Amino acid sequence: METKIFDMKKNILDDDIFFCAKIIKEGGLVAFPTETVYGLGANALCETSVKKIYEAKGRPSDNPLIIHIGDVGQLDLVAKNVCDKTKALIKKFWPGALTVILYKKDIVPNATSGGLKTVAVRFPSNEIAKRLIKASVPLAAPSANTSGKPSPTQMGHVKEDLENKIEAIIDGGSCNFGLESTIIDMTENPPKLLRPGTITREMIEDIIGHIETDINSKKPKAPGMKYKHYSPNATIILVKNREKINEYLKETTEKVGILTTTENEKYYNKNKCEVITLGSIDNPIEMGSKLYKSFREFDEKGVKVVYSEYFGSDDSAIMNRLKKASSKINT
Ligand code: TXA
Ligand code: MG
């Protein structure tokens, strides 16, 4: 199938939105931008449409999808027992990069919920995403990458992975955050953080008080967190002591990449390795927005080993993704 590409970076034309909405309503797949990463959307309430997502991505079918809604009112269509704490979180963070896990209504097919009694729901703030959902139906959408590859943060990444496998891709430019949404399980008491994102544990606790987390657990409750994820082909090695990186560089004969900050880039010899600077250590959002792109760039440059510095606390969204992508942590 030939994938149609719609450029909505500058203008969002009603005609184009309706064309893409029609593809969805007829059971097809459309990749679309969100403020976190690009999503691969299908009609969340239609089993056969949703199954196509798993096929296109090569994703294990026990890994449930997030339902993206186009306004808060659509939450009651797919979820039940919405408690006061959930309502408070939604009021504060929606539309935005927060996914809540709630008990599902029967209308949600097993293909969407991965056979679970619960369902993940998010109301994205990206204008294109909102308009596409409003013109069609709630969208089941995982990140629009081939399973195991880094999530796509710009149209070209989606094209690389899914061209000719899906009906359309909407180009909305680069994603603001570049890391997937925070996931919180509201069916647990206290609620449990399943995946860290730009909405932090502290921001959530400010609204609803104490929560638990299982992000470092060996048996994570979000099925997707157990897979080796988010990784480039190159081996990533996290190095706590920056000075050691230059020692490792002397020893290795393979093509090496360095992941660093604006503050530290001066320490590396760019003639000897591929240096990618994510941004200032004081701007974690900017750094996060460039992480997955850097993974793809290292692969394009044929880098075999990437040494990465530590960028903040272990439980931050960026370190969570880096730890998942890396095979080795050196102190
Ligand atoms: O930012 C995002 O959330 C992006 C954009 C496209 O919205 N989407 C995304 O989807 O990251 P995906 O499929 O790559 O990740 C969804 C995660 C998986 O780890 C999955 O296991 C978990 O959510 N999940 C979905 N439903 C769940 C449920 N009922 N209980 C526990 N975890 C669930
Ligand atoms: Mg994903």
Side-chain angles (χ1 to χ4, degrees), residues 106-125:
D106 291 343
I107 194 175
V108 177
N110 279 331
T112 301
S113 67
L116 299 174
K117 285 196 192 106
T118 55
V119 65
V121 189
R122 160 164 129 76
F123 174 17
S125 63

Side-chain angles (χ1 to χ4, degrees), residues 11 23 42 79 87 109 121 136 140 145 156 158-159 169 178 190 208 249 255 260 280 309-310 312 328 330:
N11 293 312
I23 294 173
K87 285 180 187 155
V121 189
S136 56
N145 51 293
V158 183
K159 205 169 154 201
I169 305 174
I208 59 167
L249 267 176
K255 189 159 185 185
T260 182
S280 166
E309 295 174 12
Y310 266 68
K328 236 167 138 184
N330 287 14

Side-chain angles (χ1 to χ4, degrees), residues 37 57 59 63 142-145 147-152 180 195 229-230 292:
V37 301
K57 272 182 68 94
R59 174 177 171 122
N63 192 5
S143 46
N145 51 293
S147 213
K149 281 276 197 118
S151 294
E180 303 84 350
R195 182 171 75 183
H229 236 100
Y230 316 124
Y292 289 143

Side-chain angles (χ1 to χ4, degrees), residues 153 177-179 278 283-292 318:
T153 57
F177 298 134
L179 297 175
L278 294 175
N283 191 346
I285 300 227
E286 185 198 357
M287 291 187 69
S289 74
K290 294 187 182 156
L291 183 71
Y292 289 143
I318 190 167

Side-chain angles (χ1 to χ4, degrees), residues 134-185:
K134 279 199 174 143
S136 56
V137 283
L139 297 178
S143 46
N145 51 293
T146 301
S147 213
K149 281 276 197 118
S151 294
T153 57
Q154 54 194 50
M155 191 278 291
H157 300 161
V158 183
K159 205 169 154 201
E160 239 170 71
D161 286 11
L162 298 175
E163 188 166 34
N164 301 332
K165 293 185 179 161
I166 62 178
E167 278 79 0
I169 305 174
I170 303 177
D171 186 357
S174 294
C175 301
N176 292 346
F177 298 134
L179 297 175
E180 303 84 350
S181 61
T182 305
I183 303 181
I184 184 159
D185 187 345

Side-chain angles (χ1 to χ4, degrees), residues 271-297:
N271 299 321
K272 296 240 163 79
C273 48
E274 296 287 347
V275 179
I276 296 186
T277 303
L278 294 175
S280 166
I281 194 74
D282 296 329
N283 191 346
I285 300 227
E286 185 198 357
M287 291 187 69
S289 74
K290 294 187 182 156
L291 183 71
Y292 289 143
K293 187 175 174 208
S294 79
F295 287 180
R296 286 181 188 252
E297 281 171 3

